[in-house]
DNA sequence: CGTGAACTTGACAGAATTCAAAGTCTGTGG
DNA sequence: CCACAGACTTTGAATTCTGTCAAGTTCACG
């Protein structure tokens, strides 16, 4: 397990960090806020919390109290599938929110597990709700994130329903690629924080299928993969694979 | 096309209708509100609109302005699948909201089409947002509905990913059954407002598969179906079919 | 360097789609 | 009221895809 810089840096940074100087502000919950509003929001954020790889941020069914914004690292959200295994419902990256689905029932619907050593900002929901009542701009932003989450789920449902195995994998890779690119990292060469099993659970395929597909993609020159390091050599071909008609 | 009573009754009722005396209030957006708060909400609801069967309430991509609460009738929400057909993303019944997924992008992500002659309450989002700033209870209720919508999408994704064809159909039928029952109608005998094609689009199967499955369920005595009239003769057996392991 | 977990590869069987065609319902117009 | 046309539904046979089972291989960590 490679302990990345985040953890070492967390101790000194924890006190200094606030939303005002956070590099991910533009894509996080307080996006669009400035001045006093931003500082008020910053006060709502109670604490930062470190979560090591494979550790759980919150369990499924645990009582809901806070939302979490990912400061660094990556999480998977999953819930027990009736069939027995774990169904992966999403991959959550820097600047994104965790726990939105807990508001209705008052309990976390899924559990969140760190795919790499991570840090999150803890956002107590009660305090957030109170602030939103005074900051309509923040409420709008919150609704937008909610809506985006809903749309993401819908895309996932569509992927699972309509797409064949090669398309499912291609769509996942392209999704990851775009999100890494949006965060200033390479969209064509990255490290998979998900295991083959995780990928299988997300696409609802078997590990064997994932392995076969990656080999096939590699052999046809669409990408190059070695363990968890992946290079999208031919993004256009991957986009073509992601189209449903074939 | 059978013009149901709703339309004939709509003209006289339209003016008299308000949330205070609406029979669906308990499961609609203003649930939990009372007194002045409820009346304030009632004023936000701009108008009622009649949508006949197969008519479209809003198109996908149309600019977002209002949410809609279903007053009577039933809708399907769908969006164009990359493959070409329509992917059904949900069935919306009395007391439920339409348009939540439009808030993020400012455009309706999917189109809503009436499955039967229907009426909706038009809820302008700007006015709603303004009211929510003054009514924290309403804001909480709104968030809860949002969260529930997200959870519903997740269940749908899980259904599509993990369930085999018989389970998908069984789960849909049980879902409809429970929702009809929650609305005071029979949960064991009802009329399918969805065509076989709609069912296929929702479960991401083919019309042929749906037809075969219904025949099989009928032959094994689980249900009785004649055109679009369905009777769940053996709900226990249907629940058993809905389990994922097999 | 060894051990166990993660990953890859192959052969086979089962499930669902596709293609093709017959049968049924609905609403229109005579 | 009845006949007809088109859409909707049902049924059958062949094909394709993915899962299952069973090895073998590589990688990570002690």
């Amino acid at each position: 397990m490679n302990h990345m810089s985040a953890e070492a840096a967390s101790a000194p940074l924890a006190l200094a960090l606030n939303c005002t100087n956070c590099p991910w502000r533009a894509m996080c919950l307080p996006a669009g806020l400035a001045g006093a509003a931003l500082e008020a929001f910053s006060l709502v954020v109670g604490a930062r919390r470190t979560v090591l790889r494979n550790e759980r941020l919150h369990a499924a069914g645990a009582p809901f109290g806070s939302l979490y914004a990912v400061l660094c690292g990556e999480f998977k959200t999953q819930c027990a599938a009736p069939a027995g295994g774990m169904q992966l419902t999403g991959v959550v990256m820097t600047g994104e929110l965790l726990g939105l689905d807990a508001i209705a029932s008052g309990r976390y619907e899924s559990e969140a597990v760190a795919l790499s050593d991570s840090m999150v900002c803890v956002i107590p929901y009660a305090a957030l709700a109170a602030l939103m009542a005074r900051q309509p701009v923040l409420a709008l932003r919150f609704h937008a994130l909610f809506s985006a989450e809903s749309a993401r789920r819908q895309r996932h449902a569509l992927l699972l329903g309509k797409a064949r195995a090669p398309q499912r994998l291609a769509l996942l890779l392209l999704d990851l690629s775009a999100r890494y690119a949006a965060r200033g990292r390479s969209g064509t060469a990255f490290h998979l924080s998900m295991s083959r099993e995780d990928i299988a659970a997300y696409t609802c395929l078997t590990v064997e299928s994932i392995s076969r597909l990656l080999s096939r993609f590699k052999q046809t020159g669409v990408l190059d993969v070695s363990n968890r390091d992946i290079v999208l050599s031919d993004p256009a071909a991957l986009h073509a694979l992601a189209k449903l008609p074939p």
Side-chain angles (χ1 to χ4, degrees), chain A residues 60-152:
Chain A
F64 170 65
S66 299
L67 298 170
Y68 301 96
V70 180
L71 189 54
C72 71
E74 229 167 271
F75 286 81
K76 63 179 172 184
T77 55
Q78 56 185 6
C79 53
M86 275 301 190
Q87 162 69 19
L88 233 150
T89 58
V91 178
V92 184
M93 290 186 183
T94 305
E96 296 174 337
L97 284 190
L98 276 162
L100 283 177
D101 58 352
I103 293 176
S105 62
R107 302 191 165 275
Y108 294 101
E109 296 293 325
S110 55
E111 67 171 25
V113 174
L115 288 170
S116 59
D117 294 350
S118 306
M119 282 183 65
V120 297
C121 300
V122 182
I123 308 174
Y125 178 62
L128 176 66
L131 183 60
M132 282 196 290
R134 288 182 286 120
Q135 299 281 357
V137 177
L138 178 60
L140 288 180
R141 171 67 183 155
F142 183 65
H143 296 165
L145 282 180
F146 235 130
S147 188
E149 169 77 359
S150 204
R152 194 193 60 73

Side-chain angles (χ1 to χ4, degrees), chain A residues 20-66:
Chain A
T20 312
N21 58 24
C22 177
W24 308 113
R25 177 161 54 95
M27 55 171 60
C28 193
L29 179 50
L33 264 53
L38 181 54
E39 284 176 28
F41 177 83
S42 205
L43 289 176
V44 166
V45 179
R48 271 82 191 178
R49 186 173 146 192
T50 299
V51 187
L52 297 182
R53 189 157 84 100
N54 291 328
E55 275 186 359
R56 205 161 59 177
L57 175 61
H58 61 71
F64 170 65
S66 299

